[in-house]
Amino acid sequence: MCVTIHMAASLDGFIARKDGRIDWLETSDDFAGGDTMDPDFVEAFLKTIDCYVMGSRTYETALGFEAKGLGWPYGDKPTFVLTHRDLPRPRSTVEFYSGDLAELVNGRLRPTFRNIWFVGGGAVSAECLRLGLADEVRYSIVPIVIGDGIPFFGKLDRDIALHLAEVKAYKSGMVDLRYEVRG
Ligand SMILES: NC(=O)c1ccc[n+]([C@@H]2O[C@H](COP(=O)([O-])OP(=O)(O)OC[C@H]3O[C@@H](n4cnc5c(N)ncnc54)[C@H](OP(=O)(O)O)[C@@H]3O)[C@@H](O)[C@H]2O)c1
C-alpha cells in the first residue's frame, strides 16, 4: 500500500504560473540519451492507481480542460476532491471531502485502496506531507524555467527528509524522480 504525491514542475519548482496556467508543460526538447514513453506501459501503469486525491483548484483546472474537449485524465477511478465549496460534479466517481485530511487518508482510503495518488496542487501536496501521510513523492522535472508561479509544495513547517529511489530521463527532456519519504 502506498500514498504517492505526483506532479510535474518546472526546473525552478513551479507546478503552474501564478494565474494557474500550465501552457509551459509542453516543451520541444530532445535528449538523445533519454527513454521514450511507451504508451502501453503508461496505460498499464495507470491501471495500478486505485484512487486519486486533489485540491479544488486542481479539480477546477481538470474540469476546464474537459470542457475544452481534452478529456478527463482520471478515468473511472474514484477521485476525492478536497473543498469547502459546492462545486459541479458531472460524474459519480467524484466525491467531495472537507476537513481532516489524515482522517480521510488513514480512516477511509488506506483500508480500501492500495495505490492512492495525490495529484496536486501545491497546497494539498504540502498538507499531505505536513501531516506525514505520503510514502513517496514523484517529481517530474520539465526542461524549462518559468521564474514565478505556484510552488510544488506550499508552506511546510519543518524539513522532510527523502530517499532518492529512482531516476529516469526521457527523450522529451523530462526527468522523473521518485523519492521515498523517510522516517
Ligand atoms: N504541474 C502539475 O503537475 C499540476 C498538477 C496539479 C495541479 N496543477 C496546478 O496547480 C494549481 C492548483 O494548485 P493550488 O496549490 O493552487 O491548489 P490545490 O492544492 O489544487 O487546491 C487547494 C484547495 O483545496 C481545498 N482544500 C485543501 N485542503 C482541504 C481540506 N483539508 N478540506 C477541504 N478543502 C481543502 C481548498 O479549496 P476550497 O476553497 O474549495 O475549500 C484549497 O484552496 C492549478 O493551476 C493546477 O493547474 C499542476
Side-chain angles (χ1 to χ4, degrees):
M1 187 201 297
C2 192
V3 174
T4 299
I5 297 172
H6 175 250
M7 282 190 284
S10 60
L11 180 63
D12 45 350
F14 300 114
I15 56 165
R17 298 192 196 277
K18 275 264 182 262
D19 61 6
R21 277 180 302 137
I22 49 173
D23 53 302
W24 50 271
L25 274 179
E26 294 287 327
T27 61
S28 57
D29 193 17
D30 182 14
F31 173 48
D35 289 344
T36 310
M37 274 213 208
D38 172 5
D40 292 340
F41 174 81
V42 174
E43 198 186 324
F45 184 79
L46 289 177
K47 283 194 180 135
T48 68
I49 299 173
D50 297 311
C51 75
Y52 294 98
V53 184
M54 70 187 72
S56 63
R57 292 199 283 263
T58 297
Y59 177 61
E60 288 173 303
T61 303
L63 287 183
F65 279 128
E66 190 180 27
K68 285 184 194 151
L70 297 170
W72 174 249
Y74 311 106
D76 56 4
K77 298 292 170 72
T79 300
F80 297 85
V81 176
L82 306 174
T83 187
H84 301 94
R85 293 177 289 147
D86 200 10
L87 294 170
R89 185 174 168 260
R91 53 177 51 72
S92 60
T93 50
V94 167
E95 188 175 317
F96 298 123
Y97 180 85
S98 168
D100 185 350
L101 191 55
E103 207 168 293
L104 173 70
V105 172
N106 295 330
R108 178 114 184 264
L109 304 185
R110 278 195 190 266
T112 312
F113 302 105
R114 279 184 62 77
N115 287 315
I116 299 161
W117 274 55
F118 275 75
V119 289
V124 166
S125 68
E127 193 176 339
C128 181
L129 271 188
R130 210 168 40 233
L131 294 170
L133 303 174
D135 301 305
E136 64 172 29
V137 176
R138 289 178 181 251
Y139 197 123
S140 301
I141 305 175
V142 180
I144 192 166
V145 175
I146 62 172
D148 196 9
I150 300 170
F152 194 115
F153 301 107
K155 285 197 174 54
L156 289 171
D157 52 3
R158 65 194 157 93
D159 297 346
I160 310 281
L162 304 170
H163 163 65
L164 179 62
E166 206 176 333
V167 178
K168 257 189 205 161
Y170 292 96
K171 267 205 168 317
S172 64
M174 186 182 285
V175 179
D176 277 358
L177 305 171
R178 184 170 72 81
Y179 293 96
E180 290 160 4
V181 178
R182 284 164 56 186

